[in-house]
Amino acid sequence: MRAAVTTRYGSPDVVEIRQAPKPGPAAGEVLIRVHGTTVGRTDCGMRQPSPSFVRLFAGLLRPRRTILGMDFAGEVEAVGAGVTTFKPGNRVFGLSPVVFGAHAEYLCLPEDAAMAVMPAGVGFSEAVVCEGAWYADTNLEAFHLKPGQSILIYGASGAIGTAAVQLAKAYGIKVTAVVATRHLELVRGLGADHTVDYSAQDFTKIDETFDGVFDAVGKTTFFHCRRLLKPEGVFASTDLGPWCQNPLLAIWSAITGSHRVIFPLPQSSKAKAIVEFLKARMEAGEFRAVIDREYPLEAIADAYRYVETEQKTGIVVINVRPASAAGRDLTGPLA
Ligand SMILES: NC(=O)c1ccc[n+]([C@@H]2O[C@H](COP(=O)([O-])OP(=O)(O)OC[C@H]3O[C@@H](n4cnc5c(N)ncnc54)[C@H](OP(=O)(O)O)[C@@H]3O)[C@@H](O)[C@H]2O)c1
């Protein structure tokens, strides 16, 4: 099978399209023919050239997982003995947060992995939305906000941000989305009650306070946002911060009992629940993919380069099926 293989750490140039052994489903496993996947910030982090703590589990000297890709959507091609939930021909989507492996034509996962039958009427490209939603939902859940309470989402135009706006609205939370001018219409369309253009004004000076402030893009700090919080308000970020301050502040908050800063980490044990939750939200018309660009698998290195600009809007999709099979001309990015 064709796969994007990364055998060493480095720039996007280290990602090679190669033939790799096609997996076969053992008992209890499902073989998926992958049609769509994404390049996300996690894939970039797993491949990055400069050493980081990520290498403690990604592999000290070279990557342990040579085929990356967490989000997938495709068709079940075969099932192993004893599988009852899925059958060949099912269109499925989901998340592979432990073994990755979706940057390839085939992916084999246990039947009880984080996957579900795709909602009717949703295309493969529109179904590869789970990674951002998983991070977003992990944070939203940790805020413990009730319907009618308020959240400010900073960086609401990225994969996590666009998911957070939609999921917060699904939970009945009042959303103020902070984005650049070019994304104002987008976040209004996703359901944001209020928007703030961070390129036109200092968002920390707005005349309102919130039950939660969520830095969905990891570009601000608790100290910068403190005055936006109500007395019991909570701050969370998706990023460690330049001095690793976000997890440290969260630990300090827990020790002192103030709970002003939290740093929740997504758990693979909860990934299946988020896939099923997303399916329900998509069926209810409350969640949709925000697709920035699509690339064929052969151009995945270009997709990495684009994602690493940190300028993408929503997700960047990789079409794994060859153009002829997919019936589309995918000779370059679809901006
Ligand atoms: N360590 C990991 O494995 C991991 C995994 C997933 C995510 N994360 C972290 O989670 C964060 C978000 O990930 P993501 O995939 O959602 O990000 P993303 O999609 O790459 O975010 C890009 C978006 O953020 C906006 N943006 C860029 N700079 C901004 C700024 N200074 N203020 C506000 N918005 C800004 C960009 O639009 P404009 O530039 O036009 O505003 C763009 O729409 C990142 O910090 C990432 O490191 C980490």
Side-chain angles (χ1 to χ4, degrees):
M1 66 170 182
R2 287 152 52 247
V5 179
T6 309
T7 53
R8 58 201 162 99
Y9 294 115
S11 75
D13 298 337
V14 302
V15 186
E16 293 174 54
I17 304 299
R18 283 196 203 163
Q19 288 297 318
K22 178 179 170 182
E29 289 186 344
V30 176
L31 177 67
I32 302 143
R33 178 167 184 165
V34 179
H35 285 243
T37 180
T38 58
V39 167
R41 295 283 294 273
T42 306
D43 300 309
C44 299
M46 295 288 282
R47 203 221 62 240
Q48 65 188 352
S50 48
S52 76
F53 81 98
V54 173
R55 290 201 189 169
L56 291 178
F57 53 88
L60 275 182
L61 299 177
R62 52 189 66 246
R64 210 173 285 142
R65 304 278 177 222
T66 53
I67 303 178
L68 294 172
M70 256 208 222
D71 258 302
F72 64 89
E75 279 172 275
V76 173
E77 178 154 300
V79 296
V83 170
T84 55
T85 323
F86 300 101
K87 58 179 191 297
N90 280 160
R91 286 155 53 95
V92 292
F93 76 115
L95 193 62
S96 176
V98 178
V99 296
F100 292 79
H103 291 168
E105 280 183 290
Y106 292 93
L107 174 66
C108 214
L109 291 174
E111 177 183 22
D112 61 356
M115 85 180 137
V117 170
M118 279 169 53
V122 170
F124 293 118
S125 302
E126 296 154 345
V128 284
V129 287
C130 299
E131 186 193 345
W134 184 45
Y135 280 95
D137 200 57
T138 298
N139 281 275
L140 290 175
E141 204 178 74
F143 277 110
H144 299 297
L145 298 180
K146 297 186 184 68
Q149 287 193 294
S150 60
I151 192 166
L152 178 139
I153 300 175
Y154 180 72
S157 54
I160 299 175
T162 51
V165 172
Q166 298 181 81
L167 294 178
K169 288 308 299 173
Y171 288 129
I173 298 164
K174 254 175 55 191
V175 172
T176 295
V178 182
V179 290
T181 318
R182 68 184 180 120
H183 294 124
L184 289 170
E185 278 314 307
L186 167 73
V187 290
R188 280 181 199 129
L190 296 176
D193 301 284
H194 304 286
T195 55
V196 179
D197 180 348
Y198 80 82
S199 50
Q201 70 179 110
D202 181 346
F203 75 98
T204 64
K205 302 267 163 62
I206 62 171
D207 197 17
E208 203 181 338
T209 53
F210 300 86
D211 298 295
V213 170
F214 178 33
D215 178 8
V217 74
K219 302 268 188 192
T220 185
T221 64
F222 166 67
F223 295 106
H224 203 52
C225 295
R226 202 163 34 174
R227 62 168 301 281
L228 292 168
L229 290 170
K230 289 184 178 175
E232 302 295 312
V234 173
F235 174 88
S237 175
T238 53
D239 207 74
L240 298 171
W243 310 281
C244 233
Q245 77 272 20
N246 290 323
L248 296 176
L249 283 169
I251 292 167
W252 182 247
S253 293
I255 290 170
T256 60
S258 76
H259 301 292
R260 294 289 268 175
V261 180
I262 54 173
F263 193 73
L265 292 173
Q267 292 167 28
S268 51
S269 59
K270 294 197 173 167
K272 189 169 181 66
I274 184 69
V275 173
E276 283 163 357
F277 178 64
L278 274 183
K279 178 181 171 167
R281 300 281 68 74
M282 285 196 262
E283 284 170 344
E286 293 173 351
F287 194 96
R288 67 172 175 88
V290 174
I291 300 173
D292 185 332
R293 293 183 179 190
E294 298 190 38
Y295 293 81
L297 183 65
E298 282 64 24
I300 195 167
D302 291 335
Y304 269 106
R305 284 183 199 100
Y306 180 57
V307 172
E308 288 175 10
T309 63
E310 303 185 5
Q311 295 295 302
K312 74 176 162 64
T313 307
I315 56 171
V316 166
V317 173
I318 303 298
N319 289 289
V320 178
R321 271 192 95 185
S324 56
R328 301 174 57 186
D329 177 18
L330 291 172
T331 49
L334 305 176

